């Protein structure tokens, strides 16, 4: 495993982190089970993954409970990065972002209890406010939690470049941005390159998610669009439907070819590509099983294969969705 330090922090994170959304057991189909999820978390630690991205929303707390069950006391040795701000009602109720200082504090306290931690290593705002709280008030609440020792660092998820600039101006302590980024999803490149790492100087960490485009870039879905059960959010994801699905096939064919020659997998190449991009600190990769984890950590080997990227570049450029 390779490790990268988030600028201005003591957080030394494995290049590949484990995303815990799917193992929460909601919105990712009918093949999620706790036993495999716990095995996947154990495999992640065995492979050198030292951080886990979770959220209260993931299985409405169930992902957190699995982390505690799987890691036991080891949860103090890894970095648990969780999120704050989302309110949800009932089993399938609508979720929305309430970033009022009171809710930030209450939500953080609930995570501390659920994760059985005294301090959360990294607390990230899950998505921008859908109520009327100014960004500065939210940042003040996060800074107060940091000063009070409830969290070590804080970050933002899913913010664009303008609010990110505004946040950095008000709270230079801001540790990181979490943003979607992959070979096929590149609209946040401006924020990565111009705000997070202008002129090559990294101002804040970037945690890239959806690095496999929800599994599409593993190449496991064959020539026709897959059918997902309604319980799987990919059932409604346009990237798994036409015309997007066909658009990405030439890239997948190229990834399969190159991966086959290198004894790697398309997944490892897709994650490695993200890790090689300027501005990206680390990749969050979701996994439901130990086998998927073992496959994904090979991205670290793939990163070192310098010759393949030139050959893949034209395919990547044509496959944006
Ligand atoms: N901050 C935010 O708003 C936000 C939003 C989304 C995600 N995230 C974070 O990012 C994490 C990653 O999720 P994502 O949505 O970005 O998806 P992703 O990592 O692109 O894809 C994850 C899914 O791909 C499949 N997969 C993973 N490795 C595989 C392998 N080696 N071979 C075959 N299939 C494999 C698995 O689903 P199947 O086996 O069912 O195909 C897995 O659940 C989440 O868990 C979460 O922590 C954060």
């Amino acid at each position: 495993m390779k490790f990268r330090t988030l600028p201005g922090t003591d957080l030394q994170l494995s290049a590949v982190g484990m995303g815990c959304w799917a193992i929460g057991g909601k919105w990712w189909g009918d093949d999620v089970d706790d036993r495999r999820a716990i095995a996947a978390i154990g495999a992640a630690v065995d492979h050198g993954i030292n951080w886990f991205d979770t959220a209260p929303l993931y299985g409405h707390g169930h992902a957190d409970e699995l982390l505690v069950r799987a890691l036991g006391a080891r949860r103090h040795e890894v970095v648990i990065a969780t999120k704050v701000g989302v309110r949800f009602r009932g089993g399938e109720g609508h979720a929305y972002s309430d970033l009022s200082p009171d809710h930030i504090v209450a939500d953080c306290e609930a995570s501390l209890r659920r994760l059985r931690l005294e301090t959360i290593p990294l607390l990230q705002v899950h998505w921008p406010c859908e109520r009327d709280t100014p960004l500065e008030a939210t940042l003040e609440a996060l800074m107060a939690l940091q000063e009070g020792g409830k969290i070590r660092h804080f970050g933002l998820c899913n913010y664009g470049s303008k609010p990110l600039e505004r946040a950095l101006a008000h709270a230079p302590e801001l540790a990181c941005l979490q943003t979607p980024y992959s070979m096929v999803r590149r609209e946040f490149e401006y924020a990565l390159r111009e705000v997070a790492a202008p002129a090559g100087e990294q101002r804040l960490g970037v945690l890239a998610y959806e690095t496999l485009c929800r599994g599409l870039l593993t190449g496991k879905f064959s020539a026709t669009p897959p059918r997902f059960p309604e319980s799987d959010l990919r059932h409604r994801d346009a990237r798994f439907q036409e015309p997007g699905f066909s658009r990405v096939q030439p890239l997948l064919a190229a990834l399969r070819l190159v991966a086959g020659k290198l004894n790697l997998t398309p997944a490892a190449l897709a994650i490695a590509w993200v890790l090689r991009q300027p501005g990206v600190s680390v990749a969050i990769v979701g996994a439901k099983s130990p086998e998927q984890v073992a496959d994904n950590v090979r991205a670290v080997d793939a990163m070192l294969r310098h010759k393949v990227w030139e050959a893949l570049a034209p395919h990547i450029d044509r496959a944006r969705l």
Side-chain angles (χ1 to χ4, degrees):
M1 184 49 72
K2 294 258 180 264
F3 295 85
R4 292 174 171 180
T5 304
L6 293 192
T9 77
D10 58 352
L11 296 177
Q12 219 198 8
L13 304 182
S14 48
V16 177
M18 179 170 166
C20 299
W21 187 9
I23 62 167
K26 278 181 186 290
W27 306 295
W28 278 87
D30 304 324
D31 65 342
V32 185
D33 79 78
D34 287 358
R35 200 181 41 82
R36 269 204 321 157
I38 286 172
I41 296 166
V45 175
D46 292 345
H47 284 290
I49 289 179
N50 75 343
W51 67 286
F52 295 84
D53 182 73
T54 183
L57 190 63
Y58 299 168
H60 293 170
H62 191 59
D64 291 0
E65 286 157 15
L66 288 178
L67 278 174
V68 173
R69 274 167 61 191
L71 293 169
R74 287 181 301 179
R75 73 189 180 285
H76 300 291
E77 290 152 28
V78 300
V79 170
I80 296 189
T82 188
K83 311 204 182 71
V84 71
V86 168
R87 283 188 189 270
F88 42 84
R89 271 179 258 116
E92 300 304 321
H94 175 63
Y96 65 93
S97 177
D98 172 355
L99 302 185
S100 59
D102 285 354
H103 182 55
I104 295 279
V105 172
D107 207 20
C108 172
E109 294 283 1
S111 286
L112 282 165
R113 282 194 296 276
R114 207 168 33 243
L115 291 165
R116 301 198 200 166
L117 292 174
E118 283 171 9
T119 303
I120 291 170
L122 176 61
L123 186 70
Q124 308 153 100
V125 172
H126 203 149
W127 67 76
C129 191
E130 290 166 311
R131 292 293 183 267
D132 53 5
T133 308
L135 179 56
E136 288 75 9
T138 299
L139 294 168
E140 291 292 334
L142 291 165
M143 287 188 276
L145 287 171
Q146 190 178 36
E147 265 182 46
K150 300 281 185 183
I151 63 175
R152 261 161 60 206
H153 300 284
F154 59 88
L156 300 175
C157 307
N158 303 307
Y159 280 69
S161 46
K162 282 207 174 105
L164 193 57
E165 284 282 16
R166 191 172 139 192
L168 276 168
H170 191 79
E173 306 87 327
L174 182 67
C176 53
L177 167 72
Q178 191 180 130
T179 190
Y181 192 50
S182 71
M183 286 177 166
V184 293
R185 186 153 185 209
R186 297 172 61 177
E187 71 268 31
F188 292 94
E189 234 156 45
Y190 182 84
L192 304 190
R193 298 197 176 157
E194 303 305 320
V195 184
E201 175 214 345
Q202 196 81 30
R203 284 209 287 172
L204 84 167
V206 171
L207 284 48
Y209 75 76
E210 246 187 42
T211 49
L212 291 177
C213 191
R214 295 183 169 170
L216 183 61
L217 292 172
T218 64
K220 69 181 171 181
F221 301 110
S222 57
T224 50
R227 285 168 186 254
F228 293 105
E230 287 210 24
S231 58
D232 192 314
L233 76 170
R234 291 170 291 187
H235 180 73
R236 283 171 293 276
D237 186 333
R239 295 169 296 183
F240 290 88
Q241 294 157 14
E242 296 299 5
F245 188 77
S246 287
R247 191 177 162 80
V248 84
Q249 293 309 312
L251 169 61
L252 294 178
L255 288 176
R256 283 189 201 101
L257 187 72
V258 171
K261 284 187 180 158
L262 299 177
N263 193 24
L264 288 166
T265 59
L269 287 172
I271 301 161
W273 179 86
V274 170
L275 287 169
R276 287 172 54 90
Q277 299 312 301
V280 173
S281 308
V282 287
I284 308 172
V285 192
K288 290 174 169 173
S289 67
E291 293 75 22
Q292 289 184 349
V293 171
D295 188 5
N296 298 339
V297 293
R298 297 214 56 212
V300 173
D301 304 327
M303 271 172 72
L304 304 174
R305 306 297 188 110
H306 299 291
K307 285 190 186 145
V308 302
W309 304 107
E310 216 170 294
L312 286 172
H315 299 285
I316 297 168
D317 284 343
R318 282 196 289 268
R320 293 186 191 203
L321 292 176

